[in-house]
């Protein structure tokens, strides 16, 4: 038997980090001096928000993503907190909505003007009062709109429904009180039906977020967890922390069995907290340490040894925190698969760092950009609170594409969401829905007394299939915009078909004319 080297082929083997030039960085940003172990920065395709140092309360800065270069030292801030801001998170379904939490024991939700922050904002859209001590961490629900989770130094995890009409909300819809110490991180699985937390007691817990029931808890003493992260659809958890000998390490867990880690690896002997980031589309894991200048990246597989080291990005400038751009904000023409925004305190600099897959062609690469989570919620807050679970609404990153579909419908999961990232979603028949709705409206106008005209309900388009359920009109601006975009896409497609038919008709007319001319010449 001959010996063979164990090579593993991967399309992400040569991924490299490309830092932005000085002109494309954000210079002169007064980054906070807080030692709180959070990312301190949040990014979406329109804005970048960073917690800043200021006197007389807490504040954060909101800049346009395109506003690179030197930042005005007197740039207006969002400054409505009475204590230092500890965490900020953009609403995944609204690019103009951001939540912040502070040492003043409150959580506030802000509306950002479309043109950006032109003057200091001190009045929030919502103020959430319920914690008795400072609030250190907030997370939005990944698929339900207007559901926000917060946790603080009172050891409570509170669930807030922002659909309430009140501007000051004092009663959360649920309070989870199972942690004996401060919660250090929270992470949801892909449909938001499970919540994983890491606590200062170094344990990982899996919780049912609706009921607050504890489902799993680690008892391993060889790994003291600091941060925890769900790995998409792989049914695994990843945690970063320290070993018994205070070495920084990562550990992989089966979400159904937290008794022992499936994989464990010591990284180094530094002391900074390790922040994990995972891309479910490429199955790439990024590990960035607070105070480090490097970012390691790995590829995750569903079979042993699970974690495959690729390489690392190195810089001489240490990062205090970082933000991550959602996939819909990446530059697909340059084969960018991930983008960090590194906070470099020693230079008051925010440095964009693009992770790029080297390809010769500048065309859209479908193999590295499968359907990904979009900006439309899969359900409302009321639906989630009533017990419904849905996966994210998927979108294509192909320029000009507006095709969307549900990743999961109820308890039925799409078979196309395979591990290799290849996803195929049938195009919903929106034209049939519009025709059915117009026919029903016409029938109801002509025969208002006909009971059958009121019993007819249009078919809802879900996951590319027609289901005989009632289709309610859009209730929010986002839903109305989504329907509008789908209709525009359908109209554009029909116009293309008509143009093709017009061209074909002209061709046939010319052929007929040529035949007649040839016959007359004979």
């Amino acid at each position: 038997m001959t010996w063979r080297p164990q090579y593993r082929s991967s399309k992400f083997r040569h991924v490299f980090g490309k830092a932005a030039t000085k002109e494309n960085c954000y210079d002169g940003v007064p980054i906070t001096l807080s030692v709180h172990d959070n990312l301190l920065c949040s990014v979406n395709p329109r804005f970048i928000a960073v917690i800043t140092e200021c006197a007389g309360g807490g504040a954060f800065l909101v800049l346009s993503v395109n506003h690179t270069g030197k930042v005005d030292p007197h740039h207006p801030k969002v400054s409505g907190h009475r204590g230092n801001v500890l965490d900020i998170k953009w609403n995944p379904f609204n690019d103009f909505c951001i939540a912040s939490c502070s040492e003043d024991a409150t959580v506030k939700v802000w509306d950002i003007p479309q043109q950006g922050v032109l003057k200091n904002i001190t009045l929030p859209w919502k103020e959430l009062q319920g914690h008795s001590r400072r609030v250190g961490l907030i997370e939005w629900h990944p698929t339900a709109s207007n559901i926000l989770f917060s946790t603080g130094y009172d050891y409570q995890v509170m669930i807030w429904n922002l659909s309430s009409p009140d501007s000051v909300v004092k009663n959360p819809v649920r309070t989870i009180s199972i942690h004996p110490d401060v919660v250090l991180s929270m992470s949801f699985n892909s449909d938001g039906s499970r919540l994983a937390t890491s606590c200062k007691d170094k344990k990982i817990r899996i919780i049912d977020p609706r009921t607050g029931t504890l489902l799993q808890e680690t008892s391993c003493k060889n790994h003291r967890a600091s941060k925890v992260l769900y790995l998409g659809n792989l049914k695994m958890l990843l945690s970063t922390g320290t070993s018994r000998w205070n070495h920084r390490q990562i550990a992989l867990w089966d979400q159904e069995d937290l008794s022992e880690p499936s994989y464990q690896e010591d990284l180094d002997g530094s002391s900074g907290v390790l922040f994990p980031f995972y891309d479910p589309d490429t199955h790439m894991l990024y590990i960035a340490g607070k105070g480090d200048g490097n970012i390691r990246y790995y590829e995750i597989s569903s079979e042993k040894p699970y974690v495959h080291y690729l390489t690392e990005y190195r810089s001489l400038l240490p990062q205090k925190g970082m933000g991550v751009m959602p996939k819909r904000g990446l530059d697909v023409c340059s084969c960018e698969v991930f983008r960090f925004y590194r906070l470099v305190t020693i230079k008051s600099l925010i440095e964009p760092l693009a992770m790029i897959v080297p390809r010769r062609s500048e065309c859209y690469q479908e193999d590295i950009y499968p359907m990904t989570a979009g900006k439309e919620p899969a359900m409302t807050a009321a639906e989630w609170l009533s017990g419904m679970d849905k996966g994210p609404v998927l979108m294509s990153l192909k320029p000009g594409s507006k095709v969307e579909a549900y990743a999961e419908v109820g308890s039925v999961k799409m078979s196309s969401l395979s591990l290799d990232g290849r996803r195929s979603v049938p195009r919903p028949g929106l034209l049939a829905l519009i025709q059915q709705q117009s026919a029903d409206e016409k029938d109801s106008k002509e025969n208002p007394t006909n009971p059958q005209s009121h019993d007819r309900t249009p078919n809802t388009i879900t996951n590319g299939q027609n289901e005989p359920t009632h289709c309610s009109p859009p209730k929010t601006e986002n839903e109305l915009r989504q329907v509008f975009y789908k209709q525009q896409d359908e109209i554009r497609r029909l116009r293309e078909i008509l143009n093709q038919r017009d061209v074909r008709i002209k061709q046939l007319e010319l052929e007929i004319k040529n035949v007649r001319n040839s016959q007359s010449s004979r």
Side-chain angles (χ1 to χ4, degrees):
M1 183 176 180
T2 59
W3 176 84
R4 293 180 180 178
Q6 295 297 316
Y7 292 119
R8 181 177 179 274
S9 62
S10 170
K11 67 181 74 172
F12 305 110
R13 168 64 62 186
H14 302 291
V15 170
F16 66 96
K18 183 180 180 181
T21 60
K22 187 69 178 291
E23 298 77 28
N24 293 319
C25 294
Y26 307 83
D27 195 9
V29 180
I31 301 169
T32 179
L33 301 178
S34 170
V35 295
H36 198 67
D37 290 330
N38 273 346
L39 298 175
L40 310 177
C41 180
S42 186
V43 187
N44 69 25
R46 291 180 180 269
F47 300 108
I48 174 171
V50 59
I51 301 174
T52 61
E53 194 68 22
C54 70
F60 59 94
L61 201 63
V62 175
L63 302 170
S64 170
V65 166
N66 300 321
H67 184 145
T68 55
K70 190 72 174 178
V71 176
D72 184 357
H74 302 292
H75 192 283
K77 297 180 176 65
V78 181
S79 54
H81 284 287
R82 297 184 301 276
N84 291 333
V85 177
L86 300 180
D87 195 17
I88 49 176
K89 294 282 169 58
W90 287 105
N91 187 336
F93 310 121
N94 184 354
D95 289 343
F96 304 98
C97 177
I98 188 170
S100 62
C101 62
S102 167
E103 289 182 351
D104 62 8
T106 64
V107 178
K108 297 187 178 184
V109 185
W110 311 85
D111 266 336
I112 305 299
Q114 291 195 9
Q115 65 272 21
V117 180
L118 303 180
K119 62 180 181 178
N120 286 342
I121 298 178
T122 57
L123 187 63
W125 171 56
K126 298 279 185 183
E127 181 172 343
L128 314 179
Q129 301 175 357
H131 289 278
S132 58
R133 299 183 65 185
R134 55 181 173 166
V135 186
L137 189 64
I138 49 177
E139 287 289 346
W140 293 91
H141 193 278
T143 59
S145 62
N146 290 327
I147 293 291
L148 182 66
F149 284 66
S150 67
T151 181
Y153 283 70
D154 53 3
Y155 312 157
Q156 312 280 337
V157 177
M158 295 187 179
I159 307 172
W160 306 91
N161 181 4
L162 304 184
S163 301
S164 167
D166 301 327
S167 59
V168 178
V169 183
K170 296 186 178 181
N171 297 315
V173 294
R174 182 164 298 280
T175 300
I176 302 173
S177 307
I178 62 174
H179 297 91
D181 213 323
V182 179
V183 177
L184 301 178
S185 69
M186 297 187 290
S187 177
F188 289 95
N189 63 349
S190 57
D191 63 358
S193 61
R194 292 292 179 267
L195 173 67
T197 63
S198 62
C199 183
K200 204 170 181 180
D201 65 355
K202 308 303 180 184
K203 290 185 178 181
I204 299 171
R205 293 172 175 86
I206 296 181
I207 305 165
D208 185 333
R210 264 188 294 262
T211 63
T213 307
L214 178 63
L215 305 177
Q216 295 270 346
E217 182 179 283
T218 56
S219 57
C220 176
K221 296 183 179 179
N222 294 328
H223 176 77
R224 295 177 289 183
S226 174
K227 302 291 181 182
V228 66
L229 186 68
Y230 262 104
L231 299 184
N233 295 321
L234 295 184
K235 297 184 178 180
M236 289 191 288
L237 288 167
L238 180 120
S239 64
T240 63
T242 57
S243 68
R244 187 179 294 178
W245 297 275
N246 281 334
H247 289 163
R248 294 197 299 185
Q249 66 177 194
I250 59 174
L252 208 61
W253 309 80
D254 183 350
Q255 70 177 21
E256 305 297 334
D257 181 16
L258 298 183
S259 57
E260 287 291 333
S262 307
Y263 174 88
Q264 223 170 332
E265 180 185 346
D266 288 0
L267 298 184
D268 54 41
S270 300
S271 58
V273 174
L274 293 173
F275 294 106
F277 305 91
Y278 181 67
D279 182 2
D281 300 329
T282 60
H283 303 291
M284 287 186 65
L285 170 72
Y286 303 86
I287 303 291
K290 183 178 180 180
D292 296 355
N294 63 327
I295 299 175
R296 302 175 176 90
Y297 32 106
Y298 306 79
E299 193 170 8
I300 306 296
S301 66
S302 58
E303 300 175 353
K304 289 184 178 181
Y306 304 115
V307 181
H308 307 275
Y309 175 76
L310 295 176
T311 184
E312 66 178 323
Y313 167 80
R314 294 184 179 181
S315 171
L316 297 176
L317 302 175
Q319 63 237 359
K320 183 181 179 68
M322 55 181 53
V324 173
M325 175 66 77
K327 293 299 286 288
R328 55 191 173 88
L330 300 182
D331 181 9
V332 296
C333 296
S334 63
C335 296
E336 183 184 21
V337 292
F338 215 75
R339 189 192 303 167
F340 294 100
Y341 286 78
R342 302 173 63 239
L343 305 186
V344 183
T345 313
I346 59 175
K347 288 198 171 185
S348 299
L349 192 73
I350 303 177
E351 179 188 57
L353 173 66
M355 311 306 295
I356 295 175
V357 179
R359 295 283 174 94
R360 291 182 179 178
S361 173
E362 294 183 357
C363 299
Y364 179 74
Q365 307 290 319
E366 293 190 4
D367 61 323
I368 60 176
Y369 295 117
M371 296 285 284
T372 190
K375 62 172 293 187
E376 300 299 330
M379 54 188 162
T380 63
E383 290 173 336
W384 181 77
L385 292 171
S386 66
M388 186 182 296
D389 289 320
K390 283 186 180 180
V393 179
L394 303 180
M395 65 175 288
S396 172
L397 296 180
K398 189 172 184 178
S401 174
K402 295 186 182 298
V403 180
E404 297 177 353
Y406 284 100
E408 299 171 12
V409 181
S411 59
V412 181
K413 299 181 184 292
M414 290 173 58
S415 60
S416 57
L417 294 183
S418 57
L419 184 60
D420 60 359
R422 292 176 301 215
R423 303 174 183 172
S424 58
V425 180
R427 181 185 181 87
L430 185 63
L431 182 60
L433 175 61
I434 297 172
Q435 291 174 346
Q436 179 68 30
Q437 287 179 338
S438 60
D440 289 341
E441 290 175 1
K442 184 178 179 181
D443 191 19
S444 61
K445 288 179 181 178
E446 292 177 354
N447 301 316
T449 58
N450 185 6
Q452 293 181 356
S453 64
H454 299 285
D455 293 338
R456 263 188 218 161
T457 54
N459 294 335
T460 357
I461 307 300
T462 309
N463 199 18
Q465 297 175 353
N466 293 340
E467 295 182 357
T469 56
H470 180 68
C471 180
S472 59
K475 296 180 180 179
T476 65
E477 185 180 350
N478 285 336
E479 293 178 0
L480 188 62
R481 189 180 293 111
Q482 180 183 1
V483 173
F484 171 74
Y485 286 149
K486 288 182 178 179
Q487 289 179 346
Q488 291 295 313
D489 189 49
E490 191 72 27
I491 291 170
R492 192 179 300 109
R493 190 177 64 86
L494 292 174
R495 282 177 177 169
E496 291 176 357
I497 294 174
L498 288 175
N499 289 335
Q500 292 173 0
R501 290 181 178 177
D502 288 341
V503 171
R504 181 59 180 161
I505 288 171
K506 289 180 180 179
Q507 290 176 348
L508 292 174
E509 287 177 349
L510 288 173
E511 290 178 3
I512 293 173
K513 189 176 181 180
N514 291 333
V515 170
R516 287 177 178 173
N517 290 335
S518 62
Q519 289 178 350
S520 61
S521 62
R522 290 177 185 176

